[in-house]
Amino acid sequence: MNIQTLDVLIVDLPTIRPHQLAMHTIVMQTIILVRVTGEGGQEGWGEVATIGGASYCAETPEAIKMNIEKYIKPLVIGRNAVHFDAISYGVNKHVVGNMFAKAAVEAAVVELAAKARGIPVHELFGGQIHASLPVAWTLASGDTRRDIEEAKESLHAKRHNIFKLKIGMGDPKRNVAHVLKIKEAVGDEASVRVDVNQAWDETTAMYCIEALEDGGIDLIEQPLPAWNKEGMARLTSRFRVPIMADESLSSLEEAYQVAKHRAGNVFSIKPANVGGLTATKKVAAIAEAGGISLYGGTMIESSLGTAVCAHLYSTIPEMKYGTELFGPLLFTDTITTNAITYEDFQLIVPSSPGYGMEMDVEKIFHYARDL
């Protein structure tokens, strides 16, 4: 199944409510779609999502699109999609960094390879171990009463019993108090975690994590900047509550260093962070070898990108802290004609060939930027 064409689209999807992060508040989420076609017009689609333009990482949506078209596309056209690992190896030899761009292209090539064989993508990564995955919901409105109502409604509907709060923006002490009120409201019915998005210094982290640990919070995600691995290691050794590395894991080499120095005892794995599905599976192996637990992270993808991650995560033996693949639930509309199924606090992994999602091309071009 040789690759004949490759197209890149930037799509902006509106959210159902503002979604606050330490560096940005999302009201319109930007995703980058890649479509590859093979002989006979068969298509493979890939996606990565980005957060806040250049405020989150160096790869902006515009840069991802341009670098794919100029530097990665020529390395992919004419290649056999079934050899997706070899294609990624060749791209990595000639293109430095650009992890989001590589992940989007590889995802599309992988789907074309799976469709050529008439199988789901998870079959290409060793086979499915989990037919469904626990899914966390991020409470990020910034309003305590609203977040409590949202959490209780999710529990009642059996959509989520894991909640994460973004607390990197604003006064740390007030944010901690906000979290503890929510934990008190949901009690033992739910696991409550926090994500700091690198916003604290080590001194702030010390007193905040102590209070969160005492209040029954189950996980602290990336409290310090990605570069401060020594500080992350000190926090990991000091507290009982697990410290999760996220932005620290920007490559295979970084994952190895985090594991070696115990700069976190949980890994948040994301294909976009490390350049694709094959690299993510390797990061999971590094974690397993180091006795580090796993969490299936998100960049808040659409239904397609969520399915991309779900297929890979379903092949990993143990995802101790579940996943965060709630992206489709945050958008007011969808770019696929079918939907991801959520039930009994789980995401049901799609089972049709490829990622199991049917693309709605009319919707895609409705929300696509005119570049």
Side-chain angles (χ1 to χ4, degrees):
M1 179 60 71
N2 290 342
I3 299 165
Q4 305 292 313
T5 67
L6 186 157
D7 302 300
V8 188
L9 294 163
I10 299 177
V11 174
D12 295 305
L13 290 177
T15 60
I16 59 174
R17 58 150 168 79
H19 191 78
Q20 286 190 357
L21 308 169
M23 71 294 294
H24 178 67
T25 298
I26 300 171
V27 293
M28 189 78 71
Q29 173 67 321
T30 300
I31 63 174
I32 296 88
L33 297 174
V34 173
R35 175 175 59 183
V36 295
T37 60
E39 297 100 329
Q42 193 163 47
E43 296 180 344
W45 288 81
E47 175 192 330
V48 291
T50 65
I51 296 172
S55 66
Y56 181 80
C57 72
E59 284 186 79
T60 64
E62 299 79 13
I64 292 169
K65 184 177 190 296
M66 188 276 287
N67 285 333
I68 290 174
E69 291 174 340
K70 183 171 179 62
Y71 299 107
I72 298 178
K73 180 177 178 177
L75 301 171
V76 173
I77 296 296
R79 301 292 300 276
N80 186 343
V82 173
H83 302 155
F84 59 87
D85 209 354
I87 294 171
S88 293
Y89 173 74
V91 170
N92 283 321
K93 279 186 67 176
H94 293 94
V95 179
V96 174
N98 286 280
M99 298 302 188
F100 282 66
K102 291 173 181 176
V105 172
E106 188 200 56
V109 173
V110 164
E111 183 173 54
L112 184 59
K115 285 183 173 178
R117 296 183 175 185
I119 58 174
V121 163
H122 57 69
E123 295 292 334
L124 298 177
F125 288 90
Q128 188 181 72
I129 297 172
H130 315 286
S132 64
L133 300 163
V135 180
W137 175 253
T138 297
L139 301 170
S141 74
D143 179 87
T144 303
R145 183 183 58 81
R146 182 173 177 180
D147 282 352
I148 289 172
E149 290 174 356
E150 205 171 284
K152 288 186 173 181
E153 194 277 328
S154 288
L155 286 167
H156 178 74
K158 292 190 175 182
R159 282 198 309 271
H160 309 281
N161 57 4
I162 304 169
F163 300 110
K164 191 169 84 170
L165 288 104
K166 300 284 190 176
I167 61 169
M169 181 184 292
D171 179 67
K173 290 183 179 179
R174 290 184 64 183
N175 289 339
V176 168
H178 167 70
V179 172
L180 296 180
K181 286 176 184 176
I182 292 169
K183 176 59 182 174
E184 183 180 3
V186 300
D188 294 333
E189 286 188 76
S191 172
V192 177
R193 297 110 180 250
V194 300
D195 185 4
V196 188
N197 288 124
Q198 312 179 71
W200 290 343
D201 58 35
E202 197 169 344
T203 302
T204 302
M206 287 289 186
Y207 70 75
C208 285
I209 294 174
E210 183 175 9
L212 292 165
E213 182 177 80
D214 291 344
I217 302 310
D218 295 320
L219 189 67
I220 315 293
E221 182 174 352
Q222 199 67 52
L224 304 181
W227 59 264
N228 192 358
K229 293 179 178 58
E230 290 183 358
M232 288 282 285
R234 285 189 288 268
L235 297 178
T236 302
S237 65
R238 180 183 178 111
F239 294 104
R240 298 186 309 278
V241 60
I243 306 296
M244 183 158 71
D246 178 13
E247 288 89 354
S248 296
L249 305 171
S250 58
S251 66
L252 288 178
E253 295 77 14
E254 290 290 302
Y256 169 72
Q257 291 298 326
V258 172
K260 178 181 178 181
H261 298 291
R262 209 69 179 183
N265 41 21
V266 181
F267 276 11
S268 174
I269 56 173
K270 297 176 181 176
N273 274 0
V274 293
L277 298 170
T278 53
T280 303
K281 198 72 184 278
K282 292 174 184 177
V283 171
I286 291 170
E288 183 179 358
I292 291 171
S293 300
L294 290 175
Y295 177 73
T298 184
M299 293 299 296
I300 313 180
E301 295 89 356
S302 78
S303 49
L304 171 65
T306 297
V308 171
C309 294
H311 272 264
L312 185 76
Y313 298 168
S314 76
T315 71
I316 294 171
E318 185 177 10
M319 304 289 285
K320 181 176 180 179
Y321 288 90
T323 76
E324 196 180 342
L325 299 179
F326 66 84
L329 300 174
L330 191 64
F331 300 122
T332 62
D333 205 350
T334 179
I335 58 168
T336 56
T337 59
N338 58 335
I340 297 286
T341 300
Y342 296 88
E343 59 185 31
D344 293 327
F345 307 115
Q346 304 269 321
L347 176 156
I348 309 304
V349 181
S351 57
S352 300
Y355 298 117
M357 306 308 295
E358 297 297 326
M359 305 307 296
D360 189 331
V361 177
E362 184 176 334
K363 283 280 188 70
I364 289 169
F365 281 98
H366 173 74
Y367 289 110
R369 293 185 191 178
D370 185 16
L371 293 176

